[in-house]
Amino acid sequence: LPTLTQLIQHTDPDVLADTCWALSYLTDGSNEKIQAVVDSGVIPYLIKHLNSDAFNIVCPSLRALGNIVTGNDSQTDAVLSGGALPTFCKLLQHPKANIVKEAAWTISNITAGNVNQIQMVIDAGCLAPLIDILVKGDFKAQKEAAWAV
């Protein structure tokens, strides 16, 4: 993890993509593994990389953050306190269907949390784009949006 914490700050897009994928694999497991990633301090960098122009960096960054919010409330709060919600909401309108689905999945995991976390999703303005997906989105994204709502 210390090496990945350094590599996520690299400027090479291929290094960033591989690093974000590695973090997504590490966070796809127990809360203990998720906590180790949270404790490493990479969350702000993952959130920053959600705004990349490169799909191959956005996708694994979103997946890693989505995996983190499958953890406990404290782990979800670590992502929320980093200011990720407005970007998650923006990604619900991304031109790539897979990003939309992943963003909806991530938000659905947040709305599975506590009342404060649900309120943060509402306050961030995520409901309107989620409803848009339910009305006219890709089927896989619709399924995730339905869970979120």
Side-chain angles (χ1 to χ4, degrees):
L1 266 172
T3 302
L4 293 175
T5 303
Q6 291 298 312
L7 290 174
I8 199 164
Q9 300 174 58
H10 206 278
T11 55
D12 181 89
D14 291 330
V15 170
L16 285 175
D18 290 344
T19 301
C20 291
W21 277 118
L23 290 166
S24 79
Y25 301 140
L26 287 172
T27 54
D28 187 16
S30 68
N31 285 1
E32 291 76 24
K33 288 182 182 178
I34 292 171
Q35 190 60 48
V37 172
V38 169
D39 291 343
S40 75
V42 298
I43 289 176
Y45 299 103
L46 289 168
I47 293 170
K48 174 186 165 198
H49 295 317
L50 291 176
N51 292 303
S52 172
D53 292 330
F55 172 78
N56 68 330
I57 294 171
V58 173
C59 191
S61 299
L62 181 56
R63 174 54 68 98
L65 291 164
N67 285 342
I68 292 169
V69 301
T70 66
N72 62 38
D73 285 349
S74 155
Q75 292 162 340
T76 299
D77 287 340
V79 172
L80 295 175
S81 67
L85 262 175
T87 306
F88 291 153
C89 294
K90 182 183 82 174
L91 291 174
L92 291 171
Q93 299 166 8
H94 197 276
K96 293 228 181 256
N98 189 51
I99 296 288
V100 173
K101 176 187 71 77
E102 291 283 327
W105 170 72
T106 300
I107 293 170
S108 77
N109 282 311
I110 297 168
T111 59
N114 63 44
V115 172
N116 292 332
Q117 293 167 343
I118 295 166
Q119 189 62 52
M120 288 179 79
V121 169
I122 294 166
D123 293 345
C126 294
L127 285 184
L130 285 167
I131 291 167
D132 272 353
I133 293 166
L134 288 173
V135 172
K136 59 184 179 195
D138 171 78
F139 176 74
K140 290 178 181 175
Q142 285 178 325
K143 192 169 81 170
E144 298 303 337
W147 282 110
V149 176

